[in-house]
Amino acid sequence: MHKELLFKKSVYAVSELPTDSLPEVVLCGRSNVGKSSFINSFFGKKNLAKVSSDPGKTRSLNFYEIDKSFYVVDLPGFGYAKIGLEERKRWGKLIEDYFKASKVITLIFHFIDSRHEPMQSDIDLYNMISFYQLPYFIILSKVDKLNQSQLAAAKKNVSKYFPDFNFGANLFFYSTMSGRWKRDIEKQLYGQLEQAKLKSKVANKPG
Ligand SMILES: Nc1nc2c(ncn2[C@@H]2O[C@H](COP(=O)(O)OP(=O)(O)OP(=O)(O)O)[C@@H](O)[C@H]2O)c(=O)[nH]1
Ligand SMILES: [Mg+2]
């Protein structure tokens, strides 16, 4: 399905954002939840995004261009204490500036490790982004590490903190170890991109 995948650029300041207006699908969440791994697994290219078992791997906004039609934007993870306070502040500001500056963010994927309860920083992130009223999905990652009853508990945990999220609608499972969960996310992703395209056509209509 995805033919052409390429790393476009790393962005360290909003002045460096791409200017070609392709829609942007943003991956955010705590450090080490599997955002970068998702890119490689979901789009089927092994070493496209840099992955590490050490949290704090992604240090800039990384833009990946998919089929010349949209960007996937991999954000630095938050919540990792070993990254210095100054660096964390800089990332936080960069992320907020990015949400303010970009006019083409189409969809948010917020990753939460399915083994852990959502944390205050997840709620803070949600509150910051929900201001922009963008389509928003929560992805519970690494579900290969859980058994059936733990999976059910993980869903429940999310609804405790995020009551507006329903499994299959805007809450999904994902594992890089299995293709099982990919189709549902793919459907939502392409559905949202299609809707955004229609909206921008209406907005740009002459007269
Ligand atoms: N078992 C399992 N491991 C995973 C999965 N996804 C990611 N991992 C592992 O989790 C670790 C962190 O993955 P990354 O993709 O680098 O996480 P990240 O969210 O990009 O982290 P930062 O760049 O620090 O924000 C790596 O060791 C991955 O191999 C998954 O679905 N299942
Ligand atoms: Mg990363």
Side-chain angles (χ1 to χ4, degrees), residues 78-172:
F78 51 82
Y80 183 52
K82 276 196 190 158
I83 301 292
L85 183 62
E86 281 310 307
E87 180 91 351
R88 274 185 279 151
K89 275 191 188 157
R90 195 177 64 71
W91 293 356
K93 182 168 180 331
L94 176 60
I95 290 171
E96 284 205 53
D97 287 351
Y98 165 57
F99 276 99
K100 270 184 216 151
S102 175
K103 301 277 178 278
V104 285
I105 299 176
T106 300
L107 180 58
I108 314 292
F109 285 156
H110 177 163
F111 286 76
I112 298 176
D113 188 323
S114 58
R115 294 169 298 174
H116 308 301
E117 281 204 20
M119 296 184 201
Q120 185 58 45
S121 48
D122 288 302
I123 295 163
D124 293 343
L125 178 73
Y126 174 73
N127 287 338
M128 191 273 281
I129 299 176
S130 62
F131 172 80
Y132 297 97
Q133 298 194 317
L134 297 161
Y136 198 112
F137 297 125
I138 292 180
I139 312 265
L140 286 171
S141 61
K142 308 192 187 184
V143 292
D144 53 279
K145 295 190 182 258
L146 301 187
N147 63 31
Q148 284 304 319
S149 63
Q150 290 169 320
L151 286 176
K155 275 188 214 169
K156 259 199 191 144
N157 270 336
V158 170
S159 18
K160 221 166 43 185
Y161 296 88
F162 298 100
D164 295 339
F165 286 78
N166 296 307
F167 193 75
N170 50 4
L171 169 64
F172 300 95

XYZ file of all heavy atoms in Angstrom, residues 78-172:
796
model
N 8.356 12.510 25.913
C 8.584 13.283 27.130
C 8.602 12.336 28.322
O 8.306 11.151 28.192
C 7.491 14.351 27.304
C 6.114 13.784 27.195
C 5.512 13.176 28.268
C 5.434 13.829 25.979
C 4.250 12.632 28.163
C 4.168 13.278 25.860
C 3.579 12.674 26.953
N 8.951 12.869 29.480
C 8.867 12.086 30.708
C 10.123 11.284 31.004
O 10.103 10.424 31.862
N 11.196 11.576 30.298
C 12.394 10.801 30.563
C 13.387 11.649 31.349
O 14.007 12.579 30.829
C 13.012 10.315 29.258
C 14.213 9.449 29.481
C 14.138 8.343 30.338
C 15.422 9.723 28.868
C 15.242 7.557 30.575
C 16.533 8.929 29.093
C 16.433 7.854 29.953
O 17.523 7.070 30.185
N 13.540 11.314 32.634
C 14.263 12.172 33.565
C 15.743 12.325 33.214
O 16.353 13.343 33.524
C 14.116 11.632 34.978
N 16.317 11.316 32.569
C 17.765 11.375 32.331
C 18.153 12.416 31.287
O 19.315 12.769 31.161
C 18.287 10.001 31.909
C 18.567 9.130 33.100
C 19.423 7.938 32.742
C 19.465 6.976 33.909
N 19.817 5.628 33.474
N 17.175 12.847 30.489
C 17.452 13.956 29.581
C 17.431 15.220 30.446
O 16.522 15.412 31.242
C 16.352 14.042 28.491
C 16.273 12.747 27.693
C 16.579 15.242 27.584
C 17.464 12.459 26.831
N 18.444 16.065 30.296
C 18.566 17.242 31.162
C 17.333 18.138 31.104
O 16.611 18.142 30.097
N 17.115 18.879 32.177
C 15.934 19.738 32.277
C 15.883 20.748 31.132
O 14.833 20.984 30.537
C 15.952 20.450 33.631
C 14.742 21.333 33.930
C 13.463 20.490 33.975
C 14.917 22.063 35.261
N 17.040 21.331 30.794
C 17.086 22.336 29.731
C 16.624 21.743 28.400
O 15.843 22.329 27.671
C 18.520 22.891 29.581
C 18.884 23.913 30.632
C 17.830 25.017 30.787
O 17.480 25.631 29.765
O 17.342 25.230 31.912
N 17.141 20.534 28.118
C 16.806 19.842 26.871
C 15.311 19.529 26.845
O 14.632 19.733 25.845
C 17.628 18.543 26.798
C 17.395 17.690 25.558
C 18.360 18.024 24.416
O 19.080 19.017 24.529
O 18.349 17.283 23.415
N 14.775 19.076 27.979
C 13.345 18.741 28.043
C 12.487 19.977 27.822
O 11.471 19.932 27.144
C 13.016 18.088 29.391
C 13.269 16.581 29.380
C 12.820 15.950 30.665
N 13.813 16.125 31.709
C 13.530 16.196 33.009
N 12.284 16.149 33.418
N 14.492 16.320 33.905
N 12.935 21.095 28.417
C 12.190 22.347 28.251
C 12.205 22.768 26.776
O 11.215 23.231 26.236
C 12.823 23.456 29.093
C 12.342 23.477 30.526
C 12.823 24.769 31.170
C 12.558 24.800 32.654
N 13.471 25.739 33.334
N 13.374 22.598 26.161
C 13.519 22.998 24.755
C 12.578 22.162 23.882
O 11.894 22.678 23.004
C 14.986 22.820 24.332
C 15.354 23.512 23.042
C 16.827 23.346 22.718
N 17.198 21.960 22.471
C 16.857 21.270 21.401
N 16.132 21.828 20.461
N 17.213 20.007 21.257
N 12.522 20.838 24.129
C 11.632 19.976 23.351
C 10.171 20.370 23.561
O 9.387 20.429 22.633
C 11.776 18.513 23.769
C 13.091 17.896 23.443
C 14.122 18.475 22.747
C 13.513 16.580 23.796
N 15.161 17.596 22.662
C 14.820 16.421 23.294
C 12.924 15.527 24.484
C 15.541 15.245 23.453
C 13.644 14.358 24.645
C 14.942 14.216 24.136
N 9.839 20.631 24.841
C 8.454 20.997 25.167
C 8.040 22.243 24.411
O 6.954 22.316 23.837
N 8.944 23.215 24.380
C 8.647 24.473 23.697
C 8.542 24.234 22.187
O 7.638 24.755 21.532
C 9.733 25.507 24.008
C 9.438 26.850 23.366
C 10.324 27.951 23.880
C 10.050 29.308 23.242
N 9.538 29.324 21.893
N 9.463 23.431 21.666
C 9.450 23.134 20.227
C 8.116 22.481 19.833
O 7.503 22.839 18.825
C 10.634 22.216 19.887
C 10.751 21.723 18.451
C 10.879 22.886 17.470
C 11.973 20.781 18.298
N 7.658 21.545 20.659
C 6.408 20.839 20.360
C 5.221 21.818 20.406
O 4.383 21.841 19.505
C 6.214 19.645 21.330
C 7.261 18.560 21.005
C 4.809 19.066 21.238
C 7.337 17.419 22.007
N 5.186 22.655 21.437
C 4.088 23.630 21.531
C 4.136 24.629 20.369
O 3.097 24.937 19.785
C 4.167 24.390 22.859
C 3.685 23.536 24.015
C 3.173 24.371 25.194
O 2.308 25.246 24.974
O 3.667 24.148 26.298
N 5.331 25.098 20.058
C 5.479 26.040 18.929
C 5.014 25.391 17.630
O 4.387 26.040 16.789
C 6.950 26.461 18.762
C 7.393 27.414 19.863
O 6.532 27.868 20.641
O 8.612 27.678 19.947
N 5.328 24.112 17.494
C 4.933 23.398 16.279
C 3.408 23.348 16.150
O 2.849 23.645 15.086
C 5.545 21.993 16.292
C 4.937 21.035 15.296
C 4.927 21.334 13.938
C 4.386 19.834 15.714
C 4.362 20.464 13.020
C 3.825 18.953 14.810
C 3.808 19.280 13.464
O 3.241 18.415 12.564
N 2.725 23.017 17.255
C 1.259 22.957 17.189
C 0.665 24.329 16.870
O -0.322 24.433 16.159
C 0.673 22.385 18.485
C 0.682 20.887 18.482
C 1.682 20.179 19.142
C -0.284 20.173 17.788
C 1.714 18.792 19.112
C -0.272 18.796 17.758
C 0.739 18.091 18.421
N 1.303 25.367 17.399
C 0.820 26.726 17.099
C 1.069 27.078 15.642
O 0.231 27.698 15.000
C 1.562 27.749 17.976
C 0.872 28.017 19.302
C 1.601 29.109 20.074
C 1.535 28.783 21.559
N 2.679 29.297 22.312
N 2.226 26.683 15.128
C 2.658 27.181 13.813
C 2.047 26.414 12.641
O 1.690 27.011 11.626
C 4.180 27.115 13.726
N 1.904 25.100 12.786
C 1.498 24.318 11.610
C 0.017 24.503 11.319
O -0.822 24.450 12.211
C 1.778 22.834 11.833
O 1.262 22.105 10.734
N -0.291 24.705 10.056
C -1.699 24.845 9.643
C -2.197 23.541 9.009
O -3.315 23.487 8.512
C -1.830 25.968 8.606
C -1.367 27.325 9.103
C -2.492 28.029 9.904
C -2.047 29.348 10.450
N -1.273 29.228 11.717
N -1.353 22.531 8.969
C -1.697 21.332 8.197
C -1.678 20.040 9.021
O -1.674 18.942 8.459
C -0.767 21.179 6.957
C -1.146 22.175 5.890
C 0.696 21.336 7.335
N -1.708 20.176 10.350
C -1.796 18.958 11.161
C -3.197 18.380 10.972
O -4.198 19.066 11.165
C -1.515 19.237 12.655
C -0.098 19.795 12.838
C -1.668 17.955 13.471
C 0.235 20.191 14.276
N -3.245 17.132 10.570
C -4.512 16.512 10.186
C -4.977 15.497 11.212
O -6.165 15.255 11.370
C -4.309 15.811 8.816
O -3.923 16.823 7.880
C -5.565 15.140 8.333
N -4.034 14.917 11.908
C -4.374 13.802 12.783
C -3.283 13.628 13.833
O -2.101 13.779 13.538
C -4.466 12.546 11.902
C -4.801 11.207 12.523
C -6.137 11.263 13.236
C -4.848 10.137 11.429
N -3.729 13.307 15.064
C -2.778 13.055 16.153
C -2.871 11.591 16.564
O -3.971 11.084 16.806
C -3.157 13.867 17.424
C -3.495 15.313 17.107
C -2.081 13.729 18.501
C -2.354 16.125 16.653
N -1.731 10.938 16.686
C -1.666 9.629 17.327
C -0.917 9.810 18.653
O 0.263 10.145 18.658
C -0.891 8.623 16.476
C -1.645 8.101 15.285
C -0.958 7.609 14.183
C -3.032 8.065 15.253
C -1.636 7.108 13.079
C -3.725 7.567 14.152
C -3.025 7.088 13.061
N -1.622 9.589 19.742
C -0.998 9.685 21.071
C -0.741 8.258 21.556
O -1.679 7.503 21.778
C -1.964 10.450 21.991
C -1.517 10.579 23.417
N -2.063 11.500 24.277
C -0.596 9.913 24.157
C -1.494 11.399 25.468
N -0.611 10.433 25.420
N 0.524 7.902 21.702
C 0.905 6.542 22.102
C 1.020 6.429 23.614
O 1.626 7.282 24.264
C 2.253 6.165 21.478
C 2.155 5.881 20.007
C 2.035 6.920 19.098
C 2.159 4.580 19.533
C 1.919 6.670 17.742
C 2.047 4.317 18.178
C 1.931 5.365 17.277
N 0.440 5.364 24.147
C 0.577 5.047 25.566
C 0.968 3.570 25.672
O 0.336 2.716 25.031
C -0.742 5.311 26.334
C -1.124 6.801 26.244
C -0.621 4.876 27.804
C -2.464 7.159 26.874
N 1.997 3.281 26.426
C 2.436 1.892 26.616
C 1.310 1.131 27.323
O 0.897 1.507 28.420
C 3.719 1.892 27.463
C 4.366 0.514 27.549
O 3.630 -0.498 27.627
O 5.607 0.448 27.541
N 0.830 0.063 26.687
C -0.352 -0.641 27.211
C -0.089 -1.276 28.576
O -1.013 -1.622 29.291
C -0.794 -1.724 26.222
O 0.263 -2.630 25.991
N 1.185 -1.395 28.965
C 1.500 -2.012 30.265
C 1.342 -1.034 31.417
O 1.360 -1.432 32.573
C 2.940 -2.544 30.254
C 3.139 -3.689 29.280
C 4.605 -3.983 29.123
N 5.337 -2.838 28.575
C 6.648 -2.780 28.450
N 7.389 -3.779 28.852
N 7.227 -1.707 27.930
N 1.233 0.260 31.079
C 1.192 1.269 32.145
C -0.086 2.095 32.091
O -0.628 2.336 31.020
C 2.393 2.216 32.020
C 3.696 1.493 31.941
N 4.121 0.637 32.932
C 4.645 1.477 30.990
C 5.298 0.136 32.581
N 5.633 0.618 31.409
N -0.493 2.559 33.268
C -1.622 3.496 33.315
C -1.184 4.808 32.684
O -0.013 5.186 32.790
C -2.008 3.791 34.772
C -2.833 2.699 35.363
C -3.709 3.199 36.531
O -3.964 4.401 36.647
O -4.129 2.331 37.307
N -2.120 5.522 32.058
C -1.782 6.874 31.590
C -1.258 7.703 32.758
O -1.660 7.484 33.899
C -3.121 7.419 31.099
C -3.946 6.215 30.792
C -3.496 5.159 31.746
N -0.333 8.603 32.461
C 0.261 9.414 33.530
C -0.158 10.870 33.378
O -0.735 11.257 32.365
C 1.782 9.295 33.462
C 2.219 7.871 33.736
S 3.994 7.733 33.783
C 4.159 5.972 33.479
N 0.187 11.661 34.398
C -0.181 13.079 34.356
C 0.336 13.730 33.069
O -0.348 14.544 32.454
C 0.378 13.798 35.594
C -0.050 15.263 35.705
C -1.569 15.432 35.750
O -2.261 14.718 36.465
N -2.092 16.368 34.949
N 1.545 13.323 32.664
C 2.102 13.952 31.454
C 1.270 13.600 30.216
O 1.198 14.385 29.270
C 3.552 13.516 31.265
O 3.664 12.123 31.399
N 0.613 12.423 30.205
C -0.292 12.089 29.099
C -1.506 13.016 29.102
O -1.966 13.462 28.051
C -0.771 10.635 29.220
C 0.332 9.645 28.891
O 0.871 9.712 27.771
O 0.659 8.821 29.761
N -1.994 13.276 30.295
C -3.169 14.148 30.414
C -2.795 15.581 30.014
O -3.541 16.250 29.294
C -3.738 14.085 31.851
C -4.248 12.654 32.100
C -4.853 15.091 32.071
C -4.461 12.316 33.551
N -1.614 16.016 30.454
C -1.152 17.362 30.084
C -1.022 17.487 28.558
O -1.409 18.497 27.978
C 0.217 17.666 30.725
C 0.117 17.762 32.248
O -1.006 17.918 32.773
O 1.171 17.665 32.915
N -0.465 16.455 27.957
C -0.298 16.482 26.498
C -1.663 16.592 25.816
O -1.869 17.416 24.923
C 0.411 15.208 26.029
C 0.609 15.107 24.514
C 1.691 16.078 24.045
C 0.986 13.686 24.086
N -2.582 15.749 26.281
C -3.930 15.761 25.701
C -4.570 17.147 25.846
O -5.141 17.689 24.899
C -4.795 14.701 26.376
C -6.226 14.757 25.919
C -6.572 14.313 24.645
C -7.225 15.284 26.736
C -7.880 14.388 24.203
C -8.533 15.360 26.301
C -8.855 14.908 25.030
O -10.141 14.992 24.593
N -4.433 17.735 27.041
C -5.033 19.058 27.268
C -4.415 20.116 26.361
O -5.118 20.959 25.821
C -4.885 19.475 28.734
C -5.814 18.671 29.618
O -6.814 18.116 29.144
N -5.483 18.575 30.889
N -3.120 20.031 26.178
C -2.443 21.005 25.314
C -2.946 20.866 23.879
O -3.337 21.836 23.241
C -0.918 20.766 25.386
C -0.047 21.844 24.758
S 0.271 21.637 23.006
C 1.547 20.382 23.027
N -3.011 19.628 23.396
C -3.353 19.434 21.981
C -4.849 19.597 21.729
O -5.254 20.073 20.663
C -2.887 18.043 21.491
C -1.358 17.933 21.620
C -3.290 17.824 20.039
C -0.814 16.576 21.251
N -5.670 19.226 22.708
C -7.116 19.252 22.439
C -7.607 20.681 22.186
O -8.627 20.883 21.538
C -7.905 18.577 23.552
O -7.703 19.267 24.748
N -6.829 21.668 22.643
C -7.123 23.067 22.342
C -7.280 23.277 20.825
O -8.073 24.096 20.381
C -5.974 23.926 22.891
C -6.039 25.366 22.488
C -6.891 26.244 23.154
C -5.264 25.844 21.442
C -6.957 27.572 22.764
C -5.332 27.167 21.051
C -6.182 28.036 21.715
N -6.543 22.522 20.044
C -6.544 22.723 18.583
C -7.674 21.971 17.871
O -7.842 22.095 16.671
C -5.168 22.335 17.996
C -4.082 23.222 18.534
C -3.298 22.827 19.616
C -3.863 24.488 18.012
C -2.328 23.656 20.155
C -2.887 25.331 18.540
C -2.132 24.909 19.605
O -1.181 25.747 20.132
N -8.435 21.189 18.635
C -9.601 20.469 18.105
C -9.297 19.678 16.825
O -9.964 19.846 15.812
C -10.737 21.459 17.868
C -11.156 22.109 19.181
C -12.479 22.836 19.084
O -12.727 23.532 18.106
N -13.327 22.657 20.059
N -8.281 18.861 16.907
C -7.887 18.038 15.761
C -8.325 16.602 16.000
O -8.448 16.181 17.153
C -6.362 18.071 15.627
C -5.761 19.442 15.325
C -4.282 19.467 15.674
C -5.983 19.796 13.860
N -8.569 15.838 14.930
C -8.843 14.408 15.122
C -7.720 13.763 15.931
O -6.541 14.024 15.660
C -8.875 13.866 13.694
C -9.196 15.037 12.841
C -8.577 16.231 13.520
N -8.092 12.962 16.909
C -7.134 12.521 17.931
C -7.366 11.057 18.262
O -8.474 10.669 18.639
C -7.392 13.372 19.185
C -6.287 13.415 20.214
C -5.590 14.599 20.428
C -5.969 12.322 20.998
C -4.592 14.666 21.404
C -4.970 12.383 21.964
C -4.287 13.568 22.164
O -3.302 13.642 23.122
N -6.353 10.244 18.130
C -6.468 8.825 18.459
C -5.447 8.442 19.521
O -4.326 8.945 19.509
C -6.215 7.955 17.230
C -7.227 8.164 16.145
C -6.826 8.495 14.868
C -8.576 8.033 16.403
C -7.770 8.698 13.869
C -9.526 8.232 15.415
C -9.123 8.563 14.147
N -5.865 7.568 20.428
C -4.903 6.993 21.378
C -4.550 5.590 20.902
O -5.439 4.796 20.566
C -5.480 6.959 22.807
C -5.642 8.390 23.342
C -4.567 6.147 23.739
C -6.206 8.486 24.752
N -3.255 5.320 20.848
C -2.776 3.990 20.465
C -2.117 3.353 21.693
O -1.137 3.890 22.219
C -1.710 4.070 19.349
C -2.155 4.992 18.213
C -1.321 2.677 18.881
C -2.804 4.366 17.061
N -2.662 2.242 22.132
C -2.022 1.480 23.217
C -0.985 0.573 22.570
O -1.332 -0.336 21.796
C -3.066 0.668 23.974
C -3.967 1.507 24.889
C -5.109 0.666 25.435
C -3.154 2.087 26.044
N 0.287 0.829 22.883
C 1.370 0.149 22.163
C 1.863 -1.098 22.909
O 1.528 -1.309 24.083
C 2.529 1.131 21.964
O 3.021 1.562 23.222
N 2.640 -1.893 22.215
C 3.323 -3.086 22.763
C 2.331 -4.109 23.326
O 2.610 -4.742 24.357
C 4.336 -2.677 23.850
C 5.311 -1.581 23.401
C 6.463 -1.398 24.372
C 7.320 -0.210 23.990
N 8.503 -0.033 24.848
N 1.188 -4.288 22.675
C 0.179 -5.197 23.231
C 0.610 -6.667 23.162
O -0.011 -7.517 23.804
C -1.213 -5.019 22.565
C -1.811 -3.677 22.909
C -1.134 -5.216 21.075
N 1.695 -6.948 22.427
C 2.216 -8.333 22.431
C 2.697 -8.740 23.816
O 2.860 -9.928 24.101
C 3.352 -8.461 21.397
C 4.428 -7.400 21.595
O 4.228 -6.247 21.133
O 5.447 -7.684 22.225
N 2.933 -7.754 24.679
C 3.434 -8.075 26.022
C 2.313 -8.411 27.010
O 2.586 -8.726 28.163
C 4.248 -6.900 26.565
C 5.526 -6.657 25.741
C 6.422 -5.668 26.411
C 7.664 -5.375 25.602
N 8.851 -6.077 26.104
N 1.054 -8.321 26.570
C -0.069 -8.528 27.487
C -0.900 -9.747 27.119
O -1.012 -10.102 25.943
C -0.995 -7.296 27.474
C -0.396 -5.946 27.853
C -1.494 -4.890 27.957
C 0.357 -6.018 29.169
N -1.520 -10.371 28.125
C -2.481 -11.433 27.842
C -3.890 -10.840 27.756
O -4.068 -9.633 27.948
C -2.387 -12.545 28.904
C -2.761 -12.033 30.295
O -3.584 -11.119 30.424
N -2.163 -12.601 31.325
N -4.867 -11.687 27.469
C -6.221 -11.174 27.209
C -6.779 -10.326 28.340
O -7.340 -9.256 28.105
C -7.193 -12.336 26.943
C -7.043 -12.942 25.554
C -7.187 -11.915 24.434
O -8.030 -11.040 24.485
N -6.340 -12.022 23.417
N -6.612 -10.797 29.586
C -7.230 -10.039 30.678
C -6.479 -8.730 30.918
O -7.076 -7.715 31.271
C -7.322 -10.881 31.952
O -6.040 -11.204 32.387
N -5.171 -8.746 30.680
C -4.404 -7.503 30.809
C -4.797 -6.496 29.717
O -4.815 -5.292 29.939
C -2.904 -7.799 30.732
C -2.386 -8.547 31.953
C -0.969 -9.070 31.745
O -0.624 -9.556 30.654
N -0.151 -8.988 32.772
N -5.126 -7.027 28.552
C -5.568 -6.142 27.462
C -6.869 -5.441 27.838
O -7.042 -4.241 27.611
C -5.779 -6.939 26.169
C -4.520 -7.398 25.443
C -4.885 -8.255 24.232
C -3.684 -6.208 25.001
N -7.779 -6.230 28.424
C -9.063 -5.645 28.847
C -8.832 -4.585 29.918
O -9.444 -3.501 29.893
C -9.982 -6.744 29.364
N -7.895 -4.872 30.841
C -7.593 -3.913 31.907
C -6.976 -2.639 31.322
O -7.270 -1.528 31.793
C -6.637 -4.548 32.917
N -6.148 -2.801 30.303
C -5.497 -1.635 29.686
C -6.549 -0.700 29.075
O -6.473 0.525 29.235
C -4.514 -2.092 28.617
N -7.541 -1.279 28.413
C -8.625 -0.466 27.836
C -9.350 0.299 28.933
O -9.662 1.472 28.801
C -9.668 -1.379 27.175
C -9.354 -1.763 25.763
C -10.587 -2.491 25.210
C -10.183 -3.578 24.259
N -11.286 -4.463 23.899
N -9.633 -0.407 30.026
C -10.364 0.201 31.150
C -9.590 1.366 31.741
O -10.149 2.411 32.060
C -10.585 -0.838 32.254
C -11.961 -1.408 32.238
C -12.262 -2.047 33.594
C -13.545 -2.850 33.488
N -13.485 -4.060 34.301
N -8.283 1.159 31.901
C -7.421 2.209 32.447
C -7.508 3.480 31.638
O -7.564 4.580 32.176
C -5.952 1.753 32.415
C -5.591 1.040 33.677
O -6.221 1.252 34.708
N -4.581 0.192 33.603
N -7.503 3.301 30.316
C -7.555 4.484 29.461
C -8.892 5.187 29.635
O -8.944 6.418 29.769
C -7.317 4.118 27.978
C -7.607 5.303 27.074
C -5.887 3.680 27.786
N -9.987 4.415 29.694
C -11.285 5.100 29.793
C -11.460 5.827 31.128
O -12.210 6.782 31.208
C -12.468 4.176 29.522
O -12.117 2.865 29.632
N -10.707 5.368 32.144
C -10.744 6.066 33.424
C -10.227 7.506 33.274
O -10.775 8.447 33.825
C -9.825 5.311 34.399
C -10.385 5.194 35.783
C -9.672 4.184 36.686
C -8.170 4.160 36.656
N -7.547 3.097 37.445
N -9.143 7.639 32.528
C -8.515 8.951 32.376
C -9.031 9.712 31.157
O -9.015 10.934 31.115
C -6.991 8.802 32.246
C -6.344 8.229 33.480
C -6.213 6.855 33.658
C -5.884 9.086 34.488
C -5.627 6.335 34.796
C -5.294 8.567 35.623
C -5.166 7.187 35.770
O -4.587 6.692 36.901
N -9.443 8.955 30.137
C -9.879 9.577 28.884
C -11.255 9.024 28.506
O -11.374 8.175 27.618
C -8.874 9.277 27.755
C -7.494 9.825 27.997
C -6.477 9.005 28.475
C -7.189 11.155 27.733
C -5.197 9.501 28.694
C -5.921 11.662 27.942
C -4.921 10.836 28.423
N -12.304 9.491 29.182
C -13.630 8.906 28.979
C -14.185 9.079 27.559
O -15.086 8.347 27.167
C -14.511 9.651 30.001
C -13.710 10.818 30.448
C -12.276 10.514 30.223
N -13.627 10.016 26.799
C -14.160 10.242 25.449
C -13.577 9.290 24.407
O -13.869 9.424 23.214
C -13.860 11.683 24.994
C -14.589 12.679 25.867
O -15.590 12.284 26.504
O -14.140 13.843 25.938
N -12.748 8.354 24.860
C -12.112 7.460 23.895
C -12.739 6.068 23.958
O -12.880 5.483 25.026
C -10.601 7.398 24.138
C -9.917 8.660 23.686
C -9.968 9.809 24.462
C -9.275 8.719 22.453
C -9.376 10.992 24.034
C -8.678 9.889 22.019
C -8.728 11.026 22.809
N -13.132 5.578 22.769
C -13.776 4.264 22.690
C -12.995 3.343 21.784
O -12.583 3.744 20.673
C -15.201 4.425 22.133
C -16.049 5.241 23.080
O -16.136 4.935 24.275
N -16.617 6.319 22.566
N -12.845 2.112 22.257
C -12.050 1.149 21.509
C -12.656 0.917 20.114
O -13.849 0.711 19.973
C -11.952 -0.168 22.274
C -10.907 -1.062 21.696
C -9.560 -0.801 21.903
C -11.261 -2.147 20.919
C -8.577 -1.611 21.349
C -10.282 -2.963 20.365
C -8.945 -2.694 20.574
N -11.801 0.980 19.102
C -12.252 0.756 17.731
C -12.680 2.028 17.028
O -12.757 2.062 15.798
N -12.964 3.077 17.796
C -13.377 4.348 17.191
C -12.206 5.337 17.214
O -11.756 5.814 16.167
C -14.573 4.923 17.935
N -11.722 5.623 18.408
C -10.564 6.530 18.512
C -9.515 6.005 19.510
O -8.635 6.737 19.937
C -10.997 7.962 18.875
C -11.922 7.990 20.073
O -12.189 6.960 20.683
N -12.408 9.167 20.407
N -9.636 4.738 19.841
C -8.664 4.067 20.714
C -8.325 2.713 20.079
O -9.241 1.953 19.738
C -9.296 3.878 22.095
C -8.587 2.975 23.096
C -7.229 3.555 23.480
C -9.431 2.797 24.365
N -7.004 2.465 19.909
C -6.590 1.252 19.198
C -5.423 0.569 19.912
O -4.690 1.191 20.664
C -6.150 1.606 17.767
C -7.233 2.256 16.964
C -7.310 3.640 16.890
C -8.190 1.505 16.311
C -8.327 4.259 16.181
C -9.204 2.108 15.593
C -9.278 3.487 15.530
